[in-house]
Amino acid sequence: MALMGGFARIGNNEITILVNDAEKGSDIDPQEAQQALEIAEANLRKAEGKRQRIEANLALRRARTRVEAISVIS
């Protein structure tokens, strides 16, 4: 699974995980994920200003997570 954004809480031998988005690794197209990662890296390099850098960094983290999710199942 690729889990994007969120947090986990552990207490009383229970784990609660809240995420903003989740995607099964088997549902991710490897070529599309790799292309999205390359685009996100390029966008971060050319980002100007704080807001653009933050948004580009978030997109890059999401793209990396998706690529890592498919790497685990390969």
Side-chain angles (χ1 to χ4, degrees):
M1 288 297 277
L3 304 175
M4 278 65 100
F7 63 93
R9 183 180 70 172
I10 303 170
N12 298 326
N13 291 322
E14 233 179 62
I15 299 174
T16 303
I17 302 172
L18 300 173
V19 297
N20 295 335
D21 194 15
E23 198 171 0
K24 289 170 66 175
S26 59
D27 291 344
I28 299 171
D29 177 349
Q31 288 179 317
E32 185 274 328
Q34 185 61 44
Q35 184 178 21
L37 177 59
E38 293 167 8
I39 291 169
E41 289 170 338
N43 286 342
L44 181 58
R45 283 193 297 274
K46 66 182 181 182
E48 296 179 8
K50 186 175 181 177
R51 182 182 175 128
Q52 279 188 355
R53 283 192 300 272
I54 290 170
E55 289 173 354
N57 196 16
L58 289 172
L60 179 60
R61 289 174 61 192
R62 177 182 173 83
R64 278 189 186 141
T65 299
R66 294 180 80 234
V67 169
E68 288 171 8
I70 58 174
S71 297
V72 171
I73 63 170
S74 298

